[in-house]
Amino acid sequence: QFRIGALQDYEYEKAWGNPKASEWAEMYMQNGYIVDPMPTLKYTKEENRKIQKINSQLNMAVKEMNQKWILGAVDFNKTYDEFLKRLNEIGLQEAIEINQKAYDRFVGSSN
């Protein structure tokens, strides 16, 4: 229920909530848009050191550009490719690889 925005029992909230919200929640559930959250991944010491550094820089870059786009300070279409380039320079691909290794270990340990 928390994945569709319900803080309490969904049926209880449905009784007094906005009918549109209930309609959207039903659509999400019927169409399979609600997925299980990612597990908490465990990293090696070296992976943890790298991922923390990369994630802090990625988060800062994303927040900065989101703010600029939302405020209209820069044009989204003109700056998006440069933004992706910046994320890759920070280490986006390395972060993906680290997370994939940690996820593969998680899946392997649950079999």
Side-chain angles (χ1 to χ4, degrees), residues 83-96:
F83 171 66
L84 289 181
K85 182 180 174 192
R86 181 176 175 203
L87 295 182
N88 283 315
E89 288 170 355
I90 290 170
L92 178 61
Q93 291 305 314
E94 185 177 8
I96 291 170

Side-chain angles (χ1 to χ4, degrees), residues 18-65:
N18 183 321
K20 270 293 191 207
S22 293
E23 180 184 324
W24 296 331
E26 291 295 328
M27 179 197 66
Y28 270 72
M29 289 184 288
Q30 289 172 359
N31 292 306
Y33 299 139
I34 307 295
V35 296
D36 291 332
M38 275 289 290
T40 301
L41 300 177
K42 297 190 185 327
Y43 304 103
T44 65
K45 285 182 183 182
E46 181 63 19
E47 288 171 340
N48 193 46
R49 185 186 64 75
K50 287 181 182 179
I51 202 74
Q52 283 185 8
K53 180 180 178 188
I54 294 169
N55 278 346
S56 67
Q57 292 176 11
L58 287 174
N59 287 334
M60 219 175 353
V62 168
K63 286 178 184 177
E64 176 188 329
M65 285 308 291

Side-chain angles (χ1 to χ4, degrees), residues 64-79:
E64 176 188 329
M65 285 308 291
N66 279 337
Q67 209 170 37
K68 288 180 180 182
W69 289 327
I70 290 169
L71 295 173
V74 296
D75 183 273
F76 176 84
N77 292 324
K78 292 180 181 175
T79 58

Side-chain angles (χ1 to χ4, degrees), residues 4-21:
I4 58 172
L7 301 176
Q8 299 182 37
D9 176 58
Y10 178 65
E11 291 302 319
Y12 170 78
E13 290 196 22
K14 192 173 169 182
W16 56 265
N18 183 321
K20 270 293 191 207

